[in-house]
Amino acid sequence: MRGKALTLVWVSLLVLCNARLASAANTLLDFTNSTPTFNGDTDFSNLQNNNNLVIRWGSIANVGGTNVDLVATVTGGSYKANNFNPRPGFDGRVYLNGLSGLTTADFRFGRINLRNNYSANFTFTLVDPNNNDNEVFADFDFSVMDLDTGSVGGEVTPANEIESVQLLGQNGTATWATTTATELSSTYQATTPAADWSTPVITATQPFFGATTPGTGADNPTDPLDLTPQQANRTASFSFSNTSSFTLRLSIGPSGTGDFNDGGRNFLLTGGVEADPPFPTPSPSPSPSPSPSPSPSPSPSPAEGSFLPRTPRRPHTTSRRRWRSGNVRAKRYLS
């Protein structure tokens, strides 16, 4: 990943429910119509072990007329997939990776499956498959959804199977956002017994989002452009500008002892998100004036970043991340 010095600029956001944080022309990461492969094949036959996992979502976006792929590679930590009753010949249920959706013909999310009590760093890179996988820089949104805890399992306090995501770095500009009613914690919750992986080091440039409430398959999102308020409150969203590569740490806490830790959970990935039903619509929020306005904190007001009036909902090919579910908080880092 290309290193760049990062300058911290705090953005104080009080976004009314019909406003959005968006750049003028973001590239859509369209998992729905992408084609996943794994270590160069479609059936996981090239996987020698879990830590060799490489997921490629083919034709996930079009940048400047070029179809590009998104490649996720394990670059740190330790990765293993759910090991509860795997198919014969597989080291865990690694075949759960790739896509997730209502039916096999209507996938809507990217999916990474991780075994309980494991933590792995995934580096995501946009590449041009027709040009030696050269990296492609773009402005795009990326959301990790369905961050919750286990509802059954072993005795772990404060909760078992806590899912979390942490942004470790990127080679461009990054912002992140949650709803103000978010169920996600920005601080790490230590568990008893402790996780087998190292405690996250959370800094101003490496934000952390940890689940605090239990969930089941029944409350999973089915359409990223039709989220319930609860589903939006369990989502961590990132916007990247002039970026080709970023790294996320995905982690799941322990689930007690014995066979419970052989299970696992899914991280759902998408580009744009939208929540329904909408809250009552207040007056539109004003656009910021050209001159910097005071921030509620001692940190300086941003030199850039604005809110655009909401446009009518567009088809699933939208290129913007949009929230209807309430206020949004965010921090911006400028390269």
Side-chain angles (χ1 to χ4, degrees), residues 101-124:
L102 288 173
T103 69
T104 56
D106 192 20
F107 289 119
R108 291 190 181 278
F109 304 96
R111 180 168 63 182
I112 291 180
N113 179 267
L114 184 64
R115 191 178 301 182
N116 295 336
N117 209 17
Y118 273 80
S119 177
N121 302 344
F122 281 85
T123 295
F124 297 82

Side-chain angles (χ1 to χ4, degrees), residues 218-237:
D219 56 36
N220 286 358
T222 58
D223 185 341
L225 297 185
D226 190 16
L227 301 182
T228 66
Q230 182 186 61
Q231 292 164 351
N233 293 338
R234 295 177 176 180
T235 298
S237 288

Side-chain angles (χ1 to χ4, degrees), residues 62-129:
N62 186 281
V63 180
T66 299
N67 286 330
V68 300
D69 298 348
L70 179 66
V71 179
T73 306
V74 177
T75 53
S78 181
Y79 174 80
K80 284 189 180 294
N82 184 330
N83 197 39
F84 186 74
N85 292 331
R87 296 174 187 170
F90 283 94
D91 182 15
R93 301 172 70 183
V94 68
Y95 44 82
L96 293 177
N97 289 289
L99 291 173
S100 173
L102 288 173
T103 69
T104 56
D106 192 20
F107 289 119
R108 291 190 181 278
F109 304 96
R111 180 168 63 182
I112 291 180
N113 179 267
L114 184 64
R115 191 178 301 182
N116 295 336
N117 209 17
Y118 273 80
S119 177
N121 302 344
F122 281 85
T123 295
F124 297 82
T125 307
L126 289 173
V127 301
D128 182 352

